């Protein structure tokens, strides 16, 4: 069994509000490429330009892009974090590159779970 919680970090109301914001980021925002038909997904994209200490400024063309998401929103079962360090593509954003990888990984997990249910059913 899981260990008991140590403390509550936020109210149910605040967590429900945050969940709705993260679901909206996938449904209508920068995370649209993480959507999975028939599955409620919530998440957040990230795009960060990397700092170069030798130049003393942000390095042109060097980015970390990411997407972190969970599903199903109503009763989360999985959390997936995708991060790409310095992707070599013309478009370098979390929504463009990392969100589809999240979608593909999540879709694989969904198919695997459904297959395991079929196989383990007597």
């Amino acid at each position: 069994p899981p260990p008991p919680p140590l403390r509550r970090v936020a109210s149910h109301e605040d967590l429900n509000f945050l969940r709705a914001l993260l679901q909206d980021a996938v449904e209508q925002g920068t995370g649209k490429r993480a959507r999975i038909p028939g599955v409620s997904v919530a998440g957040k994209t990230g795009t960060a330009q990397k700092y170069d200490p030798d130049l003393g400024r942000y390095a042109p063309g060097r980015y970390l892009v990411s997407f972190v998401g969970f599903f199903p929103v109503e009763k989360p079962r999985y959390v997936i974090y995708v991060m790409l360090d310095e992707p070599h593509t013309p478009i370098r954003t979390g929504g463009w590159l990392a969100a589809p990888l999240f979608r593909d990984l999540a879709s694989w997990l969904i198919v695997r779970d459904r297959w395991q249910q079929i196989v383990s059913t007597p």
Side-chain angles (χ1 to χ4, degrees), residues 24-68:
D24 192 52
V26 171
E27 292 299 320
Q28 300 180 35
T30 57
K32 286 180 185 173
R33 292 169 57 100
R35 290 185 289 196
I36 302 169
V39 178
S40 57
V41 175
K44 181 69 181 89
T45 61
T47 304
Q49 194 170 8
K50 293 176 76 173
Y51 182 78
D52 186 332
D54 295 332
L55 296 175
R57 60 183 170 87
Y58 289 108
R62 295 180 61 198
Y63 294 87
L64 284 171
V65 300
S66 62
F67 182 86
V68 61

Side-chain angles (χ1 to χ4, degrees), residues 59-121:
R62 295 180 61 198
Y63 294 87
L64 284 171
V65 300
S66 62
F67 182 86
V68 61
F70 62 89
F71 66 96
V73 172
E74 303 76 24
K75 189 174 180 184
R77 180 175 169 118
Y78 294 104
V79 175
I80 300 172
Y81 177 63
V82 176
M83 191 270 299
L84 301 167
D85 188 4
E86 296 188 28
H88 297 285
T89 59
I91 300 173
R92 297 180 197 109
T93 66
W96 186 258
L97 295 174
L101 292 173
F102 168 93
R103 181 196 60 226
D104 292 348
L105 287 166
S107 296
W108 179 86
L109 286 168
I110 292 164
V111 168
R112 185 201 65 170
D113 283 356
R114 289 181 182 153
W115 176 252
Q116 286 178 343
Q117 287 175 354
I118 292 169
V119 171
S120 64
T121 304

